[in-house]
Amino acid sequence: MLRMLKITGALLLALLLSGCYPGQAANFKNPRGALSAWIVYWDTASGQREYAARQSSLDSVSYFAASFDEQDQLFLPEELAALKLSPVRLSYLTIVNDQWLADGSKRLKDKALLERLLADDASRENHADEIITKTRAGGFQGVEIDY
């Protein structure tokens, strides 16, 4: 019995010591991954300053955000429409399902809006076409949909 305990102890010790061997460290070529930033319509001045300070490390910028008016039409707030940062490798138009009403109020994350925009094949196709048109007209390389 004592002999069996010694053998078991020796095996456990060998297993423990072999598990502590550090081996080789992983060799990551780009550990930080892609870095992106948002420029928001309500504070473009701060966004421009942050962009200027970090532009060399950014891979992309998202312009936040295109919303919808009372007629369910996609629009980009004036503050963002006039803004173009360069050079940027990639610029995205962020689209949210917020609806701006004529009285100045907003419906945030409006599910009823989405139900109308995506109600049937024709409305979905119209919605997709509107997104593509707005994206191209603004000179963006892609979209980020935040519904």
Side-chain angles (χ1 to χ4, degrees):
M1 180 72 170
L2 183 59
R3 184 168 187 245
M4 185 64 119
L5 283 174
K6 286 181 180 179
I7 293 173
T8 303
L11 285 174
L12 286 175
L13 181 62
L15 185 61
L16 176 68
L17 291 176
S18 67
C20 293
Y21 177 72
Q24 287 188 322
N27 184 13
F28 296 109
K29 294 185 189 239
N30 185 5
R32 80 167 174 88
L35 187 60
S36 184
W38 274 4
I39 302 292
V40 297
Y41 70 86
W42 63 85
D43 193 7
T44 57
S46 291
Q48 287 176 292
R49 284 192 304 273
E50 290 287 324
Y51 173 77
R54 292 170 176 77
Q55 83 180 61
S56 63
S57 64
L58 292 175
D59 297 298
S60 65
V61 172
S62 292
Y63 292 76
F64 188 91
S67 298
F68 295 86
D69 63 19
E70 280 189 296
Q71 289 75 42
D72 296 349
Q73 298 300 303
L74 188 62
F75 77 95
L76 190 59
E78 291 176 21
E79 299 87 351
L80 289 180
L83 179 66
K84 270 307 196 185
L85 303 174
S86 62
V88 175
R89 292 183 193 128
L90 293 171
S91 63
Y92 294 97
L93 176 60
T94 301
I95 302 171
V96 296
N97 57 314
D98 295 351
Q99 191 162 40
W100 294 29
L101 306 177
D103 66 4
S105 64
K106 298 174 188 169
R107 292 186 192 131
L108 304 178
K109 297 295 183 189
D110 190 346
K111 291 179 185 177
L113 169 67
L114 289 180
E115 289 172 3
R116 292 189 301 275
L117 293 173
L118 306 173
D120 54 39
D121 288 345
S123 63
R124 286 189 292 272
E125 187 170 331
N126 183 55
H127 182 51
D129 288 344
E130 187 177 26
I131 289 172
I132 292 167
T133 299
K134 185 66 69 178
T135 301
R136 287 182 176 163
F140 301 101
Q141 284 81 37
V143 296
E144 176 182 50
I145 296 178
D146 185 5
Y147 292 167

